[in-house]
Amino acid sequence: MGLSPLQSIHMTEKNSIKVVDKIKDMQTLSSNIRKEGRIISFVPTMGALHEGHLSLIRKAKEKGEFLVVSIFVNPTQFGPNEDYKKYTRDLESDLRKIKEIGVDVVFSPDINEIYPDGFETYVEVQELQKPLCGQFRPGHFKGVGTIVLKLFNIVKPDIAIFGEKDYQQLKIIQKMARDLHLEIEVIGLPIIREDDGLALSSRNAYLSKKEREQARALSEALGEIRMRFNQGQNDISDLIHEGREVLNKSLIYDIDYLEIRNGNTLEGKEKAKSGDLVAIAAKIGHTRLIDNIKL
Ligand code: PAF
């Protein structure tokens, strides 16, 4: 009988889930799994898991034969005045949430493991990173592309699953996979929403009660735009004006963008058509939230 792929890999067991924290161990384990011909599915996360993540992890369980989830708050995708320090970190609680799903391994490295002294190589998807969040979070997608490529090289997945809430991120990763000939199927899954329409996000936890009330206006503004489009309006500046009215009624004025763009290329346009992306980023108090829908 051959050795089990888990043998000789250093890992700890927390809440009955195997946790690997060293790159070499994860790479060896993934190589062993691939040698057995098993399909590795992968969900990268920064922890602070919510139902949106769990829906990705459940789908990954269905699609693959060995399921890896990574939990790593990636410093290179946060700007200097963003919430890197206060980002929720609670591995125990995250592991509890995914316990029932049957995750085979959680990869949870520390920062020095991923970014040792002297690290200086980054990945950028030149055009797709420019609009939307790229204008307001310089360097963000460079950090995302870099960490995701690193994680792909460590976990060696066949399938990787991302949420469509970070729509631009998903498009960038799909493009990176194509451009760099990665043999990984990058799948996007729909946004999971609260009953009142608010898109689930780890950052919703920062909202006060009053801000949480206001935050519903983000999805309402997107819904208003889609409704008017379905009624035959297609002039983008008019549609955006209607969406902004909804936000302003809820006293949301700190809007990074509310835009309609081509759903594949993210290029700007003047007339909306089916399949276009309506995307928003706005601050509610100190919390920056994003959301999107397709027309
Ligand atoms: O979407 C996220 O949580 C992060 O951007 C990701 C993909 C895990 C990279 O750090």
Side-chain angles (χ1 to χ4, degrees), residues 44-46 53 72 74 77 144 147-148 162 166 169 173:
T45 80
M46 297 203 298
H53 297 109
F72 177 67
N74 173 41
Q77 70 188 76
V144 169
I147 187 63
V148 171
F162 294 82
D166 296 288
Q169 164 174 286
I173 292 161

Side-chain angles (χ1 to χ4, degrees), residues 42-47 49 53 56 70-78 87 115 137 140-141 143-148 151 161-163 165-166 169-170 173 202-203:
F42 176 44
V43 181
T45 80
M46 297 203 298
L49 302 181
H53 297 109
L56 308 182
S70 66
I71 297 183
F72 177 67
V73 185
N74 173 41
T76 61
Q77 70 188 76
F78 290 81
Y87 206 87
Y115 295 108
R137 304 187 69 189
H140 169 66
F141 289 117
V144 169
T146 303
I147 187 63
V148 171
L151 290 168
I161 303 197
F162 294 82
K165 187 172 80 65
D166 296 288
Q169 164 174 286
L170 170 66
I173 292 161
S202 306
R203 294 187 166 101

Side-chain angles (χ1 to χ4, degrees), residues 68-184:
V68 182
V69 171
S70 66
I71 297 183
F72 177 67
V73 185
N74 173 41
T76 61
Q77 70 188 76
F78 290 81
N81 300 318
E82 294 183 356
D83 54 344
Y84 174 67
K85 283 221 173 83
K86 81 165 184 186
Y87 206 87
T88 310
R89 290 161 175 83
D90 188 345
L91 183 62
E92 296 286 330
S93 146
D94 287 336
L95 295 176
R96 261 197 308 279
K97 290 179 198 157
I98 59 176
K99 197 169 158 185
E100 304 310 325
I101 304 180
V103 175
D104 292 289
V105 162
V106 166
F107 177 58
S108 173
D110 84 13
I111 182 169
N112 300 316
E113 181 72 3
I114 296 291
Y115 295 108
D117 281 350
F119 176 82
E120 59 169 344
T121 304
Y122 292 88
V123 187
E124 284 186 77
V125 178
Q126 303 276 341
E127 289 305 313
L128 275 179
Q129 71 176 354
K130 282 184 185 156
L132 303 173
C133 284
Q135 298 168 75
F136 297 91
R137 304 187 69 189
H140 169 66
F141 289 117
K142 178 177 168 185
V144 169
T146 303
I147 187 63
V148 171
L149 185 58
K150 276 172 161 282
L151 290 168
F152 282 175
N153 283 327
I154 296 166
V155 174
K156 308 178 204 272
D158 299 281
I159 298 167
I161 303 197
F162 294 82
E164 286 179 352
K165 187 172 80 65
D166 296 288
Y167 190 85
Q168 188 174 14
Q169 164 174 286
L170 170 66
K171 287 285 147 192
I172 285 175
I173 292 161
Q174 285 174 329
K175 188 72 174 27
M176 174 181 82
R178 217 168 24 250
D179 287 353
L180 300 182
H181 320 294
L182 308 182
E183 291 185 306
I184 300 171

